Amino acid sequence: MLILFGININAQELEKKSIKEIINIIPELITSNYVNKEKGKQIALQFQTEINSGKYFKIKHPDTLASLLTKDLKRISKDGHMYVNHLAKTSKKTTKITDWEAEEKALEIKLNFGFTAIQILENNTGYIKIVEFMHPKRSMQTAVAAMKIVENTDNLIIDIRGNGGGYPGILEYIMNHYFDGPPTLLSTTYFSDPKMTPYTNYTSDLVYGKLRIGKPLYILINGNTGSASEYFAYTLQAFGKAIIIGEKSAGSAHNNEYFSLTDNFRISISTAMPINEITKTNWEQKGVIPDVIVTSENAKKKAIEMILSEK
């Protein structure tokens, strides 16, 4: 999940010593934690070349440095989960973790926990717009309410165009509506740390309302659909539960983890990869390929046309 913060014009300028402390640890973190060890070494080596060029020491503003580091890391790795964030401290009494959590919680409230539109269209089709899969502990009640509102519809359109990802939990709750019987193995996640046991992800009977077995599901995606939202679309497509409409997604399959840097910076590194039980692969760098390819702007219209044509 990539969170972008606006430039803070009042941020304190960085000194060369601070910049050195921020950037010099990055190659080691990538080498130690990247999910593909060989690729991690290559990324670290290429990034070290960028450090050696001295260009980062010319930057004074923290947000500008974070943006340039992100641009370079994404270019080198071709991995959407490689990026750097900076968050200015708002109080001497708060810690970095508290600051990041406060920012996240504020965004959740602003975006209605990710559910920004819920409609019943004229043809008894439900429509849900999800802009981000937010923390399930705080977002589950909203997800339950959204699915309850559309539970008597004949069809459902879930719009995740522009959804950059987020947490697991909410997406799995929605997927549970389309599976019944014994738990179904959806995917297995493998970690960069060989000592960690691979994580298996199954469906469950956690559904507060009616199942939607056999009811058509249309998922709208585009090039800014990434990470967890791609997992949602890719999994339902692979299991034959949904028709995907729109443009190819971002291609960010890896699971990321945050590592703290100095001066309230942090770096996101891919530390795990999910493998779909049906396809035996994932969508990393390939993206989710729609069943029906149309421009992002016409995806919802196309879904409605398809629903009407089935009547």
Side-chain angles (χ1 to χ4, degrees), residues 132-299:
E132 186 175 315
F133 288 106
M134 294 182 157
H135 199 293
K137 183 177 180 180
R138 300 184 290 269
S139 305
M140 185 58 75
Q141 289 186 359
T142 304
V144 170
M147 293 304 292
K148 286 290 289 181
I149 289 172
V150 302
E151 73 175 358
N152 293 312
T153 57
D154 297 324
N155 311 277
L156 179 59
I157 299 171
I158 297 183
D159 189 348
I160 51 174
R161 291 173 294 179
N163 183 326
Y167 290 91
I170 298 302
L171 64 89
E172 292 159 342
Y173 173 73
I174 296 173
M175 286 196 293
N176 286 342
H177 290 73
Y178 290 89
F179 292 85
D180 60 357
T184 300
L185 176 60
L186 300 176
S187 62
T188 302
T189 299
Y190 298 90
F191 300 93
S192 59
D193 185 350
K195 296 179 182 178
M196 293 184 66
T197 302
Y199 171 77
T200 50
N201 189 24
Y202 287 83
T203 59
S204 78
D205 59 1
L206 178 63
V207 172
Y208 297 101
K210 298 177 181 178
L211 292 175
R212 298 190 62 86
I213 307 301
K215 290 191 175 184
L217 172 62
Y218 302 82
I219 300 177
L220 313 183
I221 68 172
N222 64 10
N224 292 320
T225 301
S227 193
S229 61
E230 289 179 284
Y231 180 93
F232 179 73
Y234 186 89
T235 303
L236 288 167
Q237 181 188 52
F239 280 85
K241 303 294 184 179
I243 296 173
I244 312 301
I245 303 174
E247 301 169 347
K248 183 178 74 170
S249 65
S252 301
H254 293 155
N255 296 358
N256 63 318
E257 185 176 344
Y258 293 110
F259 297 86
S260 295
L261 306 172
T262 59
D263 287 84
N264 223 17
F265 281 75
R266 68 177 182 178
I267 183 171
S268 167
I269 298 175
S270 295
T271 59
M273 59 179 174
I275 299 297
N276 182 273
E277 182 62 17
I278 298 294
T279 66
K280 305 302 181 184
T281 184
N282 60 37
W283 58 97
E284 180 67 22
Q285 296 189 23
K286 297 175 290 187
V288 179
I289 309 301
D291 299 296
V292 180
I293 299 176
V294 296
T295 62
S296 178
E297 294 77 10
N298 290 323

